[in-house]
Amino acid sequence: GQQLNQSPQSMFIQEGEDVSMNCTSSSIFNTWLWYKQEPGEGPVLLIALYKAGELTSNGRLTAQFGITRKDSFLNISASIPSDVGIYFCAGHIRGKSTFGDGTTLTVKP
Amino acid sequence: GAVVSQHPSRVICKSGTSVKIECRSLDFQATTMFWYRQFPKQSLMLMATSNEGSKATYEQGVEKDKFLINHASLTLSTLTVTSAHPEDSSFYICSATDRANTEAFFGQGTRLTVV
């Protein structure tokens, strides 16, 4: 099946720093999705990308859908303590999502 | 975004019993619902895909007789873990998509503990 490589696996940053994470795949997707999951909760959709090359922002979050449709990145600017959690990318095609392994973000005040 | 409600959020059951988990789309018609399983510090693993009114499609390695899925209406899918064992303890999450199938919205998840 399709697989996504998400990196980095974890990040430890200082409050105020910018964060960047990305996902790559050997297969193309029609939609790229970025989710955040907090302990004991289901993932919450942050940003959805629908077109190759699309760059979308949601507050301090910016994500891009790669031109080849095989990759995507998520940037978080000026991180704050409540940004902690696990961030998952997901590629979506034919109604099915494939998830990356997640990036665990820790923000030190 | 669209709202998906999953119930219960936590359940503890005895080994050998069955547990039913519900997933409801509250403000849209979910033509397709997905069931995932997540072990601690791991990603979500797709267990099965269910389309309203038809049999679920199970991923390789998932026992369909153990994890019974019913999607009888456009707003409700259920996952029943039959004859649960401690190794079935996990976090189970559903997601739902509408006819456009471009995004998936997740329920809150169910923490199942089998003792």
Side-chain angles (χ1 to χ4, degrees), chain A:
Chain A
Q2 296 167 318
Q3 291 194 341
L4 296 185
N5 295 310
Q6 183 172 350
S7 65
Q9 188 176 22
S10 60
M11 302 182 74
F12 295 83
I13 62 169
Q14 205 71 37
E15 182 178 359
E17 291 183 357
D18 297 342
V19 172
S20 184
M21 58 192 80
N22 69 84
C23 280
T24 60
S25 171
S26 58
S27 308
I28 63 172
F29 291 101
N30 290 337
T31 305
W32 278 93
L33 308 163
W34 285 92
Y35 293 89
K36 179 185 178 185
Q37 185 177 26
E38 299 189 12
E41 302 288 332
V44 174
L45 182 65
L46 299 174
I47 292 181
L49 303 159
Y50 302 105
K51 292 182 184 177
E54 179 181 352
L55 183 70
T56 297
S57 293
N58 178 7
R60 293 179 295 105
L61 277 60
T62 302
Q64 185 159 30
F65 191 149
I67 290 290
T68 64
R69 294 169 63 193
K70 294 182 179 181
D71 63 296
S72 177
F73 72 74
L74 173 71
N75 288 341
I76 305 173
S77 62
S79 59
I80 58 178
S82 61
D83 290 334
V84 299
I86 304 176
Y87 292 79
F88 290 100
C89 64
H92 195 75
I93 189 167
R94 289 188 290 275
K96 187 180 287 189
S97 296
T98 301
F99 284 83
D101 289 336
T103 296
T104 301
L105 178 63
T106 303
V107 180
K108 292 178 283 187

Side-chain angles (χ1 to χ4, degrees), chain A residues 31 33 35 37 40-45 48 50 86 88 92 94-102, chain B residues 32 34 36 38 41-44 46 49 59 91 93 97 101-109 111:
Chain A
T31 305
L33 308 163
Y35 293 89
Q37 185 177 26
E41 302 288 332
V44 174
L45 182 65
Y50 302 105
I86 304 176
F88 290 100
H92 195 75
R94 289 188 290 275
K96 187 180 287 189
S97 296
T98 301
F99 284 83
D101 289 336
Chain B
T32 306
F34 304 88
Y36 295 85
Q38 187 179 33
K41 300 188 178 181
Q42 294 189 22
S43 188
L44 289 80
L46 181 65
T49 302
E59 296 298 301
F91 194 55
I93 305 173
T97 64
N101 262 332
T102 54
E103 295 178 22
F105 298 94
F106 285 83
Q108 304 94 320
R111 171 74 61 194

Side-chain angles (χ1 to χ4, degrees), chain B residues 14-31:
Chain B
K14 290 186 177 180
S15 189
T17 61
S18 296
V19 173
K20 180 185 282 188
I21 302 169
E22 293 187 348
C23 182
R24 295 180 184 272
S25 58
L26 299 185
D27 52 0
F28 69 102
Q29 291 186 330
T31 53

Side-chain angles (χ1 to χ4, degrees), chain B residues 58-113:
Chain B
Y58 290 82
E59 296 298 301
Q60 193 172 11
V62 178
E63 298 175 59
K64 62 180 181 181
D65 294 331
K66 179 165 187 65
F67 299 100
L68 301 179
I69 291 172
N70 184 284
H71 192 166
S73 77
L74 283 171
T75 59
L76 174 64
S77 176
T78 60
L79 167 69
T80 301
V81 183
T82 63
S83 187
H85 290 284
E87 58 264 31
D88 298 325
S89 299
S90 188
F91 194 55
Y92 293 86
I93 305 173
C94 70
S95 74
T97 64
D98 60 12
R99 292 188 192 280
N101 262 332
T102 54
E103 295 178 22
F105 298 94
F106 285 83
Q108 304 94 320
T110 297
R111 171 74 61 194
L112 170 64
T113 303

